[in-house]
Amino acid sequence: MPVLRPSYPRNLGLKKNLPAFSLGLLATSLQIFLLREFNAYFYGNELTFGIVLASWLLWSGLGSLAAGKMRSLPGPTVLFFSIILVFPFALTAVRLSRLLFGLLPGELAGLLPVILMSIGICALVGFPLGALFVVNVHHRGGDIKRVYTWESLGAAAAGPAVSVGLLLFASSWVAATALSALVVVLIFCSSERRPSLIWTAALFIVLAGFGLADLPVQRLHWQPFRLIASRDSLHGRLQIVKTREQISLYSNHSPVFSYPDIASAEESVHFAMLQSPAARRVLLIGGSAGQSLDELLKYPNVQVDAVELDPEIIRMSNRFLGDAKRDILASGRVRILAQDGRAFLEGSRDEYEVIILNLPEPATAQINRFYTREFFDLARRHLRSGGFFSFSIASSENVIGPELRKILASLYFTLKSVFPEVRVVPGGRNIFLASSNRLTIDPSELGRRIDAFGLSTRHLEIRSLESRLHPLRIEYLQNALGSGPRRINTDLNPISFFLQASLWSAHFQGPESAIIRTVAEVPPGWLLGCPLLLFTVFLVLLRLKKREVSFSLVPLAVMGLTTIVAEIVLLLWFQSLYGYLYGRVALLLSTFMLGLFLGASLKIRPEKTTLGSLAAVQTAFLALLAAFRIVLPTHPPEFLAYLLLLLFGFLGGRLFIVSNLIFLRTRADYGRGYGLDLIGSFAGALLTSSLLIPLAGQAHVLESVLVLNAICLLFLLARPKPARWS
């Protein structure tokens, strides 16, 4: 069989590298904007992210594989302009998807709509992006190394570019318009045959219309309710909706607060504060823009530190909630801190008599960090002797079903593992109270304390307290908690996040709900062990066939899975240690992409690249995974996370180039390796953050990936030994 070798053009000018750079910039930027749009209009937890990201990677991989087999390929300019033209309509379809599925404004969608929308949208955008990589390689005369290197550099630039775009324009759609227009200019300037000016001008007109349509399309989504303001902050999309006399703030389509909503504010504050009505130092994490601060300031001696992650929430509250709310936020007894609540406690030495956690349920890995044993212990260490800690969770007034029992029991036993005294108030929201001191939920005693301090409450009167805290209701709730599984929620094993997702899915009648419930009952060892066993059998069969291409391509798929799993584990680990800071997360992702660029750009002689070289990179992956597993339970300096991502990216880029150079000696299929890399990433993205990490824990997932890479290394070392395989 003749050996096909790629040719390497001598002209290495910047102009010829711009298409590859533009592909990395465009693909990564569009991926970020698409994830933000799904986050804003669907249930934006990691399960949704995993589905969308997996769909994107799958279609991109299929596009690359398909293009590699085509005899005739379109020009890169046509593909670039087509993708940029289609993407605005894709984002519009996501935003107006509630009309397609018959949902009300603000109503949560099930997993089936997420799956259908992600598959359809990603097919329109991801497939041509995957094909575009192959087209770029063909136009560079087969120089896959140079194309991959410059694409990685463009991807590394995407994170900072998106962050700057959001800072400048405060709108995802306008930022997407600006970045797309930039790519149009880059492609126009770098094309050997300049595209038609009419075609280019028409594309700019479409992009301008897309940017201007942002707010009108949002208002169309919320009809018949009235959307009065919207802003994309670095942390999500904030929208203020007015219905009659009530104003509601939504963050990523989930309600943050409604104003006025006295009942919710009273129960979130007073059950905790009545344990120590004379308390002076109080920490409120979340909820400061609602009426919780109003209720706290009814206690005459109290000084409040109010921690709110997104400062834009405070700004919008000041603007739309009136003078009374502005006076509360500006009170000398209130200190507003725009910071991640957990990061604040990590860096603070302050102690409090009461800490109130006023955040949503642990439906995302980001929020789940505030319901783990590690956070409860952190809160305990910031309480003065005999201080009180409190949070509330949505529940049921009368009947607690099996899915709800699991999540409530997990939180209860996690809290009990830190605090000796834990009581739970029954109701539509369960109020969890914890302390090293005695707790009371006796209605008569609580009513006496309300009268003694002259507190004005509308919904916590003696009659309502006696009804809510009836001994039979307390006994029923306590029995439900005690009979639930004792699964402790930790940073490295965020089980409550998955149980909350299971509870969410139970609201919908569909196969996805049954699948999640079934998977939740599978022992973690089976979830991790069965895929490893199947992979081993698959490699044994490949070894028996002695197909040379298998030994160069299998490590590519393993690398794709390994890098995305390591990336997800590392980001969740970083988040739990240092807090959720969007700018840092973007920098982390860019650091990984920079590593890809460095690994791919390292000088290499194609004729001396062997399967032994591939085994050496595979060995380095094993060593790096082992090092990461060792530091996982520790609290190292922050820079180590960046270093690990840089090294994972470096090895990933290096392995991609070595593997492809070996494979391309046998056939000029430029899409095969790139496609397998993305298919491996697809498998990792689909399973890791949404299922494996919550159920098995980060440490066990990382150990399984380490074993996977060890099996792959043994496969390489067990290759046949003829000279042509050396």
Side-chain angles (χ1 to χ4, degrees), residues 402-478:
E403 302 301 328
L404 179 58
R405 181 183 295 113
K406 290 176 184 177
I407 180 66
L408 293 177
S410 173
L411 296 174
Y412 175 74
F413 287 113
T414 302
L415 196 59
K416 283 282 290 182
S417 70
V418 175
F419 290 93
E421 293 291 327
V422 176
R423 301 296 300 272
V424 185
V425 177
R429 293 191 68 83
N430 289 154
I431 314 298
F432 285 71
L433 303 168
S435 179
S436 59
N437 205 349
R438 191 179 71 86
L439 294 162
T440 180
I441 55 173
D442 177 74
S444 300
E445 177 60 21
L446 294 177
R448 187 192 67 78
R449 295 180 185 184
I450 290 174
D451 292 339
F453 277 81
L455 299 176
S456 174
T457 58
R458 294 188 188 179
H459 300 275
L460 296 186
E461 300 173 340
I462 187 62
R463 289 184 179 179
S464 62
L465 287 172
E466 288 176 345
S467 173
R468 183 168 184 174
L469 298 173
H470 191 280
L472 290 178
R473 301 186 73 179
I474 293 175
E475 181 183 4
Y476 172 75
L477 175 60
Q478 198 61 41

Side-chain angles (χ1 to χ4, degrees), residues 296-616:
L296 279 169
L297 293 184
K298 290 180 178 179
Y299 295 85
N301 299 321
V302 79
Q303 297 283 331
V304 184
D305 283 349
V307 182
E308 196 72 54
L309 172 65
D310 195 343
E312 195 59 39
I313 290 178
I314 301 299
R315 296 191 192 103
M316 295 183 81
S317 299
N318 270 323
R319 180 181 174 188
F320 292 101
L321 297 186
D323 293 338
K325 186 61 184 178
R326 280 193 288 271
D327 291 342
I328 291 289
L329 293 172
S331 169
R333 297 165 60 196
V334 175
R335 182 171 65 142
I336 302 292
L337 301 160
Q339 194 176 357
D340 176 85
R342 183 160 172 172
F344 167 74
L345 285 178
E346 290 278 5
S348 173
R349 296 184 178 179
D350 293 339
E351 292 185 339
Y352 301 92
E353 290 149 277
V354 179
I355 296 177
I356 299 174
L357 183 68
N358 198 355
L359 293 176
E361 286 72 31
T364 69
Q366 150 63 9
I367 298 297
N368 187 74
R369 300 164 47 241
F370 292 92
Y371 294 92
T372 63
R373 181 168 57 195
E374 290 85 351
F375 177 75
F376 292 158
D377 185 63
L378 178 63
R380 181 189 59 80
R381 287 186 274 117
H382 280 271
L383 286 173
R384 291 179 179 173
S385 178
F388 300 91
F389 174 70
S390 172
F391 64 85
S392 62
I393 293 291
S395 184
S396 172
E397 287 277 0
N398 300 309
V399 179
I400 297 177
E403 302 301 328
L404 179 58
R405 181 183 295 113
K406 290 176 184 177
I407 180 66
L408 293 177
S410 173
L411 296 174
Y412 175 74
F413 287 113
T414 302
L415 196 59
K416 283 282 290 182
S417 70
V418 175
F419 290 93
E421 293 291 327
V422 176
R423 301 296 300 272
V424 185
V425 177
R429 293 191 68 83
N430 289 154
I431 314 298
F432 285 71
L433 303 168
S435 179
S436 59
N437 205 349
R438 191 179 71 86
L439 294 162
T440 180
I441 55 173
D442 177 74
S444 300
E445 177 60 21
L446 294 177
R448 187 192 67 78
R449 295 180 185 184
I450 290 174
D451 292 339
F453 277 81
L455 299 176
S456 174
T457 58
R458 294 188 188 179
H459 300 275
L460 296 186
E461 300 173 340
I462 187 62
R463 289 184 179 179
S464 62
L465 287 172
E466 288 176 345
S467 173
R468 183 168 184 174
L469 298 173
H470 191 280
L472 290 178
R473 301 186 73 179
I474 293 175
E475 181 183 4
Y476 172 75
L477 175 60
Q478 198 61 41
N479 289 336
L481 294 173
S483 62
R486 302 191 175 203
R487 306 177 77 171
I488 304 299
N489 190 39
T490 67
D491 286 344
L492 296 183
N493 191 12
I495 185 63
S496 293
F497 152 59
F498 184 83
L499 294 175
Q500 186 68 35
S502 180
L503 174 62
W504 161 55
S505 69
H507 293 117
F508 307 98
Q509 298 299 320
E512 69 274 19
S513 176
I515 291 172
I516 288 180
R517 289 197 299 270
T518 301
V519 170
E521 301 301 325
V522 178
W526 283 92
L527 285 175
L528 297 173
C530 286
L532 289 174
L533 179 60
L534 292 174
F535 180 68
T536 302
V537 173
F538 173 69
L539 291 189
V540 169
L541 294 176
L542 285 181
R543 172 64 179 80
L544 293 175
K545 288 187 176 183
K546 299 182 180 180
R547 294 186 62 189
E548 182 176 353
V549 293
S550 302
F551 292 88
S552 60
L553 292 180
V554 166
L556 260 181
V558 172
M559 180 271 290
L561 186 147
T562 298
T563 52
I564 200 162
V565 170
E567 193 176 343
I568 291 171
V569 171
L570 196 146
L571 288 175
L572 293 175
W573 175 63
F574 181 91
Q575 186 173 256
S576 65
L577 291 179
Y578 308 112
Y580 182 80
L581 301 173
Y582 185 89
R584 291 189 184 181
V585 172
L587 182 58
L588 282 163
L589 295 175
S590 296
T591 301
F592 174 78
M593 296 299 180
L594 178 61
L596 284 178
F597 166 74
L598 294 174
S601 62
L602 194 66
K603 187 175 181 180
I604 187 170
R605 298 181 65 178
E607 67 276 6
K608 291 192 174 182
T609 304
T610 66
L611 288 173
S613 307
L614 199 57

Side-chain angles (χ1 to χ4, degrees), residues 17-27 80 150 154 183 186-187 190:
N17 293 319
L18 277 178
F21 176 86
S22 300
L23 174 59
L25 176 65
L26 182 67
F80 269 112
W150 279 88
V183 173
L186 293 176
I187 297 305
S190 63

Side-chain angles (χ1 to χ4, degrees), residues 240-261:
I240 291 185
V241 177
K242 187 170 185 179
T243 53
R244 296 183 180 178
E245 299 303 317
Q246 190 174 63
I247 288 178
S248 300
L249 176 65
Y250 288 80
S251 176
N252 291 332
H253 218 54
S254 296
V256 177
F257 66 82
S258 294
Y259 196 96
D261 184 5

Side-chain angles (χ1 to χ4, degrees), residues 566-707:
E567 193 176 343
I568 291 171
V569 171
L570 196 146
L571 288 175
L572 293 175
W573 175 63
F574 181 91
Q575 186 173 256
S576 65
L577 291 179
Y578 308 112
Y580 182 80
L581 301 173
Y582 185 89
R584 291 189 184 181
V585 172
L587 182 58
L588 282 163
L589 295 175
S590 296
T591 301
F592 174 78
M593 296 299 180
L594 178 61
L596 284 178
F597 166 74
L598 294 174
S601 62
L602 194 66
K603 187 175 181 180
I604 187 170
R605 298 181 65 178
E607 67 276 6
K608 291 192 174 182
T609 304
T610 66
L611 288 173
S613 307
L614 199 57
V617 182
Q618 191 69 54
T619 303
F621 258 116
L622 271 176
L624 185 58
L625 286 166
F628 186 21
R629 176 61 186 88
I630 291 171
V631 302
L632 191 65
T634 67
H635 197 306
E638 191 174 323
F639 81 88
L640 185 62
Y642 294 93
L643 178 61
L644 285 169
L645 271 178
L646 185 71
L647 292 175
F648 274 117
F650 179 86
L651 291 178
R654 187 68 175 169
L655 190 143
F656 181 88
I657 298 302
V658 172
S659 175
N660 271 282
L661 289 177
I662 296 172
F663 169 68
L664 290 174
R665 293 173 186 166
T666 60
R667 63 191 68 183
D669 184 348
Y670 303 120
R672 181 79 63 89
Y674 190 71
L676 288 176
D677 177 5
L678 293 174
I679 296 297
S681 299
F682 149 74
L686 180 64
L687 298 175
T688 304
S689 62
S690 55
L691 294 176
L692 294 182
I693 287 178
L695 291 174
Q698 295 177 35
H700 289 152
V701 168
L702 202 56
E703 290 163 1
S704 297
V705 174
L706 200 155
V707 172

